[in-house]
Amino acid sequence: QSCRALCERIYTRQSRRSLINVSRFGGSYRRMIHVRPRVRTSGIYILKYSHIKKIERDMWTEVPAGAVLETVYYRYLVFNEDGTALYACTATHPHEMIPRFVRMRVGGVRDKCAVVGKYDVTRKGNVHVWARHHWTDVSMEMKILPPGVVEHGYSTVGAFCSMEFTR
């Protein structure tokens, strides 16, 4: 019974059609929980983007020789059980940003970097997120990676802990 209640709570809210078809999993809700992809609503997904920029040398360049210009920014996604997601794209390091997300989720405090969007998860593990900033609309498509996949040197621990961008 607890597996059935958990499946109903998770999958009806994360899928667009709000359907649970347990027959695809041998009639077992327990197997559905272990096999069917879902987003984790108990944590935060972080993507770090890093880019080394080539320094163009000309008579106006004030950057010293040998210096490296690196651009680093992070995309943060926090999924809620009600089908909403908190999204932020900022240069703020996770050590500073994670407590801000906790305050947003627990205390209802608004943050200037984060916006509320919506998401859905398909049966095959594709995640589509929509969020609207006041200057642009953001639409992302990701794929939930299976457990144990090593992605960019990081091994996932547990089920449904990492995603990769598809678009």
Side-chain angles (χ1 to χ4, degrees), residues 5 31 37 66 100 111:
R31 178 162 166 69
R100 290 165 63 177
D111 193 283

Side-chain angles (χ1 to χ4, degrees), residues 53-69:
K53 184 176 180 182
K54 183 179 177 184
I55 301 172
E56 300 209 13
R57 297 277 170 207
D58 57 23
M59 60 189 254
W60 295 282
T61 303
E62 295 181 10
V63 178
V68 177
L69 294 178

Side-chain angles (χ1 to χ4, degrees), residues 24-87:
R24 292 186 179 156
F25 303 94
S28 170
Y29 287 99
R30 169 171 257 157
R31 178 162 166 69
M32 179 185 264
I33 288 173
H34 290 288
V35 175
R36 184 173 173 180
R38 64 184 181 278
V39 294
R40 303 288 300 256
T41 57
S42 60
I44 184 168
Y45 290 90
I46 303 171
L47 170 74
K48 179 182 179 181
Y49 175 82
S50 177
H51 175 72
I52 306 294
K53 184 176 180 182
K54 183 179 177 184
I55 301 172
E56 300 209 13
R57 297 277 170 207
D58 57 23
M59 60 189 254
W60 295 282
T61 303
E62 295 181 10
V63 178
V68 177
L69 294 178
E70 182 180 21
T71 302
V72 176
Y73 70 85
Y74 302 89
R75 288 184 189 265
Y76 299 94
L77 278 168
V78 177
F79 295 99
N80 298 316
E81 286 187 10
D82 63 357
T84 62
L86 297 173
Y87 168 75

